[in-house]
Every structure is written in C-alpha cells, then in structure tokens.
Amino acid sequence: MPSGVRGLAIGLAALLGAALLPARAVQPGPLVPPKADILSVECQQRPAHAFAYAGAGIRPPDMAPAPSVESGYFLIEWFAHSPGIPPGALVMLETISDRQSLVQNHIHRTTSKSEGNQTTRIEISPEQTRAGGPVREWRVRIVWRGRALAARTSPGWAAARRAGT
C-alpha cells in the first residue's frame, strides 16, 4: 500500500476512534424497572331514578320496584415511583357482578409518562349494570409491558373467582 494511502487510512481510523470515544464514555447506566403502588380504590354506584305513581299508595308485592343500581364508577388513586412509568401503562379493572359470574374487563391506557400521584376514573355503563347487576367484587392492577406492577382486590375476590370457574 503506498505511504499516502496508508497515512490516509491511519488518519481516518484515528479520527473515527476519537469520534466514538465520547459515545462510549456516555453509555446509559442500568435501566430502573418501573414501580407503582395502588393507594386506594373507591367504588361509587349511583341508584336508579325513582318514579312516583299516582294512586292510593298501595301496591301488590310483585309490583314493588326492586332496588337497583343504574351506573357507577371506580376512582383509583395510585403512585408511580421515580423515574416514572413510560406511556402505555394500563390501569386494569376487573369486575364480577351480582347476576354474572364472568369477569368484565375495563382498561384505561395512559397516554403520557406517569410519575407521582395519579388518579384514574373508570366508568361502569348503565347497560352493563342493568345486564349484570351492581358490581360485587373487583380487582385493580397497574400493568406495563405485560408485567403487573401493583394489584389490589376487594375482600371477596378470591372466593368469587373460585365460585365462577
């Protein structure tokens, strides 16, 4: 190899090595896995509207309106530890109703990074409540990339799951 080409090759190698040196020195450290805690779960169920009927006020027992719940919501307060949870984390609510033993899933996907105190509200539709009755048991989980970061259940969740299977 002529000395001019060799000198050029050595110069380019030295330049390339110098350019990569700072990139190697600024390598990221180990990734911190996301962590979360569920602080509280509050279930609010709104009663159905009552209707007034004109008349004597006496009704046969089969005509008496049954107490029911029209709709409701779950208010989930949770905490995402530093450095936070990237976008796309799921707040999953699983419910079992009075008249349905199948688990109903309600999912809220975060659209931005979650860090610190978070509040998620998940609505239960009136149609779902009419079909299955009021929510009897529930489980809430914070999930990121298929891994449950935190979970909280109602007191009878395990027994309700055994009875439903």
Side-chain angles (χ1 to χ4, degrees):
M1 184 184 296
S3 64
V5 174
R6 185 175 25 212
L8 182 61
I10 292 173
L12 284 175
L15 184 62
L16 184 60
L20 292 179
L21 184 62
R24 286 189 204 139
V26 188
Q27 289 180 347
L31 294 176
V32 177
K35 295 178 187 174
D37 291 317
I38 297 174
L39 305 175
S40 69
V41 178
E42 183 180 334
C43 176
Q44 293 291 322
Q45 296 183 348
R46 292 178 228 131
H49 300 292
F51 296 99
Y53 295 100
I58 300 173
R59 265 183 241 185
D62 62 333
M63 296 285 292
S68 64
V69 174
E70 185 172 290
S71 64
Y73 64 90
F74 279 78
L75 199 60
I76 302 152
E77 293 184 17
W78 55 287
F79 184 81
H81 294 272
S82 182
I85 303 171
L90 302 176
V91 179
M92 296 179 60
L93 169 66
E94 299 166 280
T95 59
I96 297 176
S97 301
D98 275 344
R99 295 189 301 267
Q100 288 183 343
S101 60
L102 295 175
V103 175
Q104 298 292 319
N105 294 313
H106 311 272
I107 297 173
H108 172 79
R109 181 180 300 270
T110 62
T111 56
S112 61
K113 179 180 176 182
S114 304
E115 187 171 5
N117 289 322
Q118 305 288 317
T119 302
T120 303
R121 180 182 168 124
I122 298 177
E123 295 282 336
I124 306 295
S125 70
E127 294 79 25
Q128 182 180 351
T129 304
R130 277 189 228 110
V135 172
R136 184 180 70 220
E137 304 298 335
W138 52 263
R139 174 171 66 179
V140 174
R141 292 187 290 171
I142 310 296
V143 178
W144 185 69
R145 291 191 174 175
R147 195 177 109 223
L149 304 177
R152 182 174 278 194
T153 61
S154 62
W157 175 258
R161 291 288 295 142
R162 279 193 298 276
T165 56

